[in-house]
Amino acid sequence: MKSETVIIIGAGPCGLSAAIELQKRGIDALIIEKGNLVHAIYQYPTHQQFFSTSEKLEIGQVPFYSTERKPKRNEALVYYRRAADEFNLRISPYEEVTSVEKTKNGFTLTSVHKGRKKHYHCRYVIAATGYYGSPNFMHIPGEDQAHVHHYFHEAHPYFKQKVTIIGGKNSAVDAALELEKAGAEVTVLYRGSDYSTSIKPWILPEFESLVRHGKIKMIFEAEVCQIDSDSIVYQKDGVKSHLASDAVFAMTGYHPDHRFLRNMGVNVDDDTGRPFYDPDTMETNAADIYIAGVIAAGNNANEIFIENGRWHGQLIAKAVLEKEAQPSR
């Protein structure tokens, strides 16, 4: 069994930042990631542009240079690869942690890599698993069909296709713009009565213009009831309607993996989904287990972003170092 001081679960920007801060203090953490480096960002749409400016996405004081004030997905992928190389971070990709169990002097982690189980021992665990890997399902008939997607990546395959988007926030609007540009026939079904206030202000005017000119069909106050093989059933003002659809993108948001946290002994508030933790150290109620990044926000994913979650690593590294300095350690 391999022994480590710190294991970080998740190689997103906040997990990388925690590893860098620990390294600066003499602790070489191992990062275990079920995908690859910043896998959630890789899953973003190809031309996704960030809310934040490049300097607010920086980690480890590695400069992030962008051709625009707000960088795009591909620039971020290049940047985080460079930051990982800069510090020679130890990352084990395509390895999924399946359990974390408390032992007398730390934790035993079990993971699966290429179909084989691996075991580790460590003194501290940092969960930086984000939320992008757990979409919010609608739990309606037909949602599990192959033409229904909870992630949008590329518009080209939907040229001349009838595409329905469910949702009305940034991910839905971004997908609609890209699909319309690629020649898809786009309809957006949104249960809200007006445009979401969270939509990025620099893209809303373009979207509204396309709706006004009939390039995108926008239906407010629409409740989706069922998805069939070639259509979608929704209800508006008490009337059910059928909408022909070749593909459906259910952009209904994402949530943290509460079950994974609870299985580690971390208490989670049932209403907010927020884990119990000390904001000064990011240590949870389960001793020596820390959280970093958006997972700390619970169900409110708009509360913590890369630009503020990246600082969690400094708090964690300081706390771990103080514990390591104690005589009992």
Side-chain angles (χ1 to χ4, degrees):
M1 182 183 296
K2 297 180 180 179
S3 185
E4 303 283 346
T5 302
V6 179
I7 289 181
I8 300 171
I9 306 171
C14 298
L16 298 179
S17 178
I20 291 169
E21 295 302 326
L22 285 162
Q23 187 187 103
K24 288 179 177 180
R25 292 162 176 79
I27 298 174
D28 188 18
L30 173 66
I31 305 172
I32 301 177
E33 165 59 51
K34 68 179 180 180
N36 206 334
L37 183 77
V38 293
H39 190 74
I41 295 176
Y42 167 73
Q43 289 182 295
Y44 287 0
T46 305
H47 304 292
Q48 176 82 42
Q49 190 169 30
F50 282 82
F51 258 125
S52 306
T53 55
S54 57
E55 67 271 14
K56 291 182 178 180
L57 301 176
E58 292 176 353
I59 57 174
Q61 296 181 315
V62 177
F64 186 171
Y65 301 109
S66 172
T67 56
E68 300 180 49
R69 187 167 179 270
K70 295 179 184 293
K72 292 187 176 180
R73 163 189 173 274
N74 284 351
E75 292 178 303
L77 294 177
V78 171
Y79 170 75
Y80 290 115
R81 290 199 301 266
R82 185 163 64 86
D85 275 342
E86 181 83 13
F87 291 92
N88 195 27
L89 299 180
R90 291 193 298 139
I91 303 171
S92 182
Y94 304 110
E95 181 174 348
E96 183 173 6
V97 175
T98 55
S99 69
V100 177
E101 297 180 4
K102 182 68 176 173
T103 64
K104 184 178 179 181
N105 58 346
F107 302 91
T108 297
L109 276 72
T110 301
S111 66
V112 176
H113 181 241
K114 296 183 178 178
R116 290 191 293 184
K117 283 188 176 182
K118 297 177 71 173
H119 301 280
Y120 301 87
H121 177 269
C122 65
R123 294 204 293 275
Y124 307 95
V125 173
I126 301 173
T129 50
Y131 66 94
Y132 202 60
S134 304
N136 295 326
F137 294 107
M138 298 175 290
H139 304 292
I140 60 173
E143 187 177 13
D144 58 349
Q145 296 178 87
H147 71 293
V148 181
H149 314 280
H150 285 85
Y151 299 92
F152 172 77
H153 190 66
E154 176 65 54
H156 173 76
Y158 306 99
F159 172 67
K160 297 296 184 183
Q161 296 283 290
K162 291 179 172 65
V163 181
T164 299
I165 297 172
I166 302 170
K169 297 186 178 180
N170 279 298
S171 58
V173 170
D174 284 336
L177 291 174
E178 289 298 318
L179 287 160
E180 189 279 332
K181 191 186 302 180
E185 183 180 321
V186 182
T187 301
V188 180
L189 301 178
Y190 182 41
R191 64 183 179 182
S193 58
D194 200 353
Y195 293 108
S196 170
T197 55
S198 69
I199 296 175
K200 290 175 277 194
W202 62 88
I203 65 170
L204 183 56
E206 180 186 357
F207 183 78
E208 287 183 303
S209 176
L210 289 169
V211 171
R212 285 197 308 270
H213 290 88
K215 301 290 186 181
I216 293 175
K217 186 176 182 181
M218 182 79 194
I219 302 176
F220 291 105
E221 299 179 325
E223 288 288 341
V224 179
C225 307
Q226 180 176 325
I227 302 172
D228 297 324
S229 60
D230 57 0
S231 67
I232 189 166
V233 181
Y234 69 93
Q235 182 171 288
K236 178 178 170 65
D237 299 328
V239 178
K240 284 189 176 181
S241 301
H242 290 255
L243 176 67
S245 300
D246 298 307
V248 176
F249 287 94
M251 313 306 287
T252 49
Y254 310 92
H255 63 270
D257 188 348
H258 296 143
R259 184 177 58 181
F260 182 72
L261 287 175
R262 286 190 169 108
N263 286 344
M264 289 195 294
V266 177
N267 293 335
V268 178
D269 184 86
D270 290 332
D271 294 327
T272 65
R274 188 188 297 274
F276 286 49
Y277 70 95
D278 181 347
D280 293 328
T281 64
M282 305 307 294
E283 186 174 17
T284 67
N285 65 280
D288 299 331
I289 296 180
Y290 298 80
I291 53 176
V294 70
I295 194 172
N299 297 330
N300 185 12
N302 292 323
E303 181 181 320
I304 298 177
F305 303 90
I306 296 172
E307 63 182 64
N308 53 3
R310 61 185 173 150
W311 304 119
H312 293 166
Q314 292 184 4
L315 301 175
I316 295 169
K318 181 175 179 291
V320 168
L321 208 68
E322 287 175 355
K323 284 198 174 189
E324 285 293 283
Q326 295 173 5
S328 59
R329 292 284 177 174

